[in-house]
Amino acid sequence: EFSTMNGVSEDVTEMILNLKGVRFKLLNKKPDKIFVQLKGPKEFTARDLQLWQREEKKWIDEGYKNYHNAKALGGTIGISCDMCHPDGSNTHPETYPKFQSQTKKVALLRDMINWCIENPLKGKPLAENDPVLRSVEAYILSTRKGTALEAGKH
């Protein structure tokens, strides 16, 4: 069943037909959804989606490198994230924000990355906007893509 949407000049059938040229790749066999949020009069094209995917892949790939590189993380004892969490295992990013007993407060995933850098890795915490921190966070999140969010669990 189709209905009109406020602010959209094309009818729903025309919008669906325009999506015919957009290619989507499912990462598993389960049905999935894509959400696009635009504000104001804008055009969203397949090229926009490709740029977004390319930028996301760049951050994840850089995060993979940093995750496996003790020097990039600023640790002082030659340990990288993958030595405790191979391939992002047991990080449960889908459960953040949550209370962490190590920090005695509600923490975001990036807070726990910094906690690990300070404690097991014996390094200095990274700034909130540090590209290494952001890329490692992107990589960890990518390892659980498609997992339902369960903030506070675990």
Side-chain angles (χ1 to χ4, degrees), residues 68-134:
H68 293 83
N69 184 336
K71 197 175 230 179
L73 295 166
T76 59
I77 58 173
I79 294 176
S80 59
C81 299
D82 66 305
M83 293 180 164
C84 296
H85 305 283
D87 298 319
S89 66
N90 212 22
T91 57
H92 306 286
E94 71 279 2
T95 64
Y96 287 90
K98 66 181 173 184
F99 182 82
Q100 283 297 115
S101 57
Q102 300 96 318
T103 62
K104 296 178 180 38
K105 65 180 183 177
V106 173
L108 301 173
L109 176 58
R110 59 184 49 207
D111 297 327
M112 288 311 298
I113 294 167
N114 263 334
W115 182 88
C116 287
I117 289 171
E118 283 184 273
N119 293 282
L121 278 59
K122 305 290 185 211
K124 292 185 190 305
L126 302 172
E128 285 279 319
N129 62 348
D130 187 293
V132 172
L133 178 62
R134 294 177 67 205

Side-chain angles (χ1 to χ4, degrees), residues 56-70 72-73 80-83 85-88 131-143:
E56 179 187 42
K57 183 177 180 342
K58 182 178 84 174
W59 277 98
I60 292 168
D61 290 348
E62 191 62 29
Y64 177 87
K65 291 177 198 167
N66 291 327
Y67 189 87
H68 293 83
N69 184 336
L73 295 166
S80 59
C81 299
D82 66 305
M83 293 180 164
H85 305 283
D87 298 319
V132 172
L133 178 62
R134 294 177 67 205
S135 69
V136 168
E137 185 175 42
Y139 167 68
I140 292 171
L141 289 166
S142 77
T143 65

Side-chain angles (χ1 to χ4, degrees), residues 2-29:
F2 299 116
S3 62
T4 60
M5 297 187 314
N6 291 336
V8 176
S9 57
E10 298 88 4
D11 69 7
V12 175
T13 306
E14 188 178 341
M15 286 176 53
I16 292 171
L17 290 172
N18 285 332
L19 284 174
K20 190 170 67 173
V22 178
R23 298 178 78 198
F24 296 95
K25 179 180 178 184
L26 285 175
L27 300 176
N28 55 42
K29 302 269 186 211

